Amino acid sequence: MIKARFLAVAVLLVVGAVGAWAFRAAGPPPSPGAGRPAEAAKPVSATDAVARPMPVLIDAIGHVETQQSVVVRSRIDGVVAKVWVEDGQEVKAGDKLVTLDARQAQASLAQAEGAVLRDKAQLENARRDLARLEPLARAGAVSRQLLDQAVGNVAALEGTLAADQAQVESFKVQLTYTEIRAPIGGRIGTIGTRLGTSVRAADATAVVTINQLDPIYVNYAVPQRELAALQDAMAVGPVPVRVVIAGREKQPLEGKVAYIDNTIDTTSGTLSVRATVANSDRRLWPGQFVNTTTTVRIDQQAVVIPAEALQTGQNGTFVFLIKPDMTVTTRPVVVDRVLGDSAVIRSGVAAGDKVVTSGQLRLSEGSKVEIRPPAAPANTAPGAKPEKPS
């Protein structure tokens, strides 16, 4: 019993000695926070704000309208003898569209021309009679009444001849109405009459309708607050308008403002604007809806940053600005406008300031950052083998 207790005490002493030796070998315990690594810099992409010319644009939805649309009707009653055009055909001013039966008009013209020849002969005879009577009247061989009668007869026949000649001109005009020609150039619609059809001047149905397609109008409405900017721009020179058709975004059309309406719509608070656009390839069609962009001026020293640098917080729009010590700070900004992937800054950022463009989700006020270089562009097409160095 005594021997067992002695052995237990001996074991405890040996364990204590070993623990004390191990404690001294390990050294003092580390202090709180010692050995913790410093905060690593967060990788971001960044760019400098720059001052460069930027346009001031007005975007609106417009609709296309023909400059001239002429409804062609017959001026006389007649029967269609020939149709010279087809539905949807392009015509020039003066081209023949429809010919009416001209026989009646030609006969009336011939009759009127015959009356002119008759009355001319009568007038010449009356003038010869007057020439014979005048010397006799001066000599007292004939009465004054007979001379006056001869003078009146000449004047009456002159009036009759003038009326006959006017009738001839009228029938000539009537004869031209038998050929219906295009008053303007453009594209015709559906032809409203066919060969052998009777037409009348009183018909409500048009022979054909012609729409001028080149140049063509694009009408759109802008907020009334843009009136002053438009007026200033038009006072300087032509105001350019870009027209984009849905599905043809890469093929914009260029035009210019023709005029602005003289009244603001009080119901909508908008101002109507009309632009003239060249349309030689007929991409614009009357009644079509398009997107319009009007350039009212160019700001030569606008402060521009990538739109992806903009962030939205509880206090509005801000950017992360990189300071010289490579830490970031939040900077509230006032955005004037966003054009594509660029934002024009009215205040908050100056040219030369470096702003973060990607990696903002990892940042907070005072975060340390490291700017990543931009990705190198690919030198080979997908699937192509890289070139061997020479």
Side-chain angles (χ1 to χ4, degrees), residues 13 19 22 36 41 118 127 132 146 165 168 271 288 302 331 364:
L13 291 175
R36 181 180 300 174
R118 180 198 62 200
R127 285 173 175 169
R132 286 192 294 266
L146 187 60
Q165 290 173 333
V168 168
L271 176 69
Q288 182 180 23
R331 178 70 61 83
S364 60

Side-chain angles (χ1 to χ4, degrees), residues 287-358:
Q288 182 180 23
F289 284 92
V290 293
N291 295 317
T292 67
T293 301
T294 306
T295 303
V296 294
R297 70 174 187 276
I298 303 293
D299 287 342
Q300 297 298 328
Q301 292 295 319
V303 178
V304 182
I305 64 172
E308 59 185 346
L310 300 175
Q311 302 293 302
T312 303
Q314 295 180 348
N315 297 324
T317 304
F318 67 94
V319 297
F320 283 103
L321 194 69
I322 300 178
K323 298 190 293 186
D325 61 357
M326 298 304 293
T327 61
V328 296
T329 183
T330 57
R331 178 70 61 83
V333 295
V334 177
V335 180
D336 186 79
R337 58 193 183 276
V338 176
L339 303 176
D341 57 359
S342 299
V344 178
I345 305 302
R346 185 179 303 172
S347 63
V349 172
D353 289 345
K354 191 176 294 293
V355 296
V356 177
T357 56
S358 67

Side-chain angles (χ1 to χ4, degrees), residues 47-87:
T47 189
D48 291 337
V50 296
R52 60 186 177 90
M54 290 293 287
V56 178
L57 307 178
I58 303 174
D59 294 326
I61 296 176
H63 70 276
V64 181
E65 181 179 315
T66 179
Q67 281 197 358
Q68 296 186 79
S69 181
V70 178
V71 178
V72 181
R73 293 187 173 90
S74 177
R75 301 285 298 272
I76 59 174
D77 298 346
V79 177
V80 176
K82 187 174 181 60
V83 178
W84 297 90
V85 292
E86 298 178 352
D87 296 341

Side-chain angles (χ1 to χ4, degrees), residues 375-389:
N379 294 325
T380 58
K385 295 181 180 180
E387 297 180 359
K388 294 181 181 180

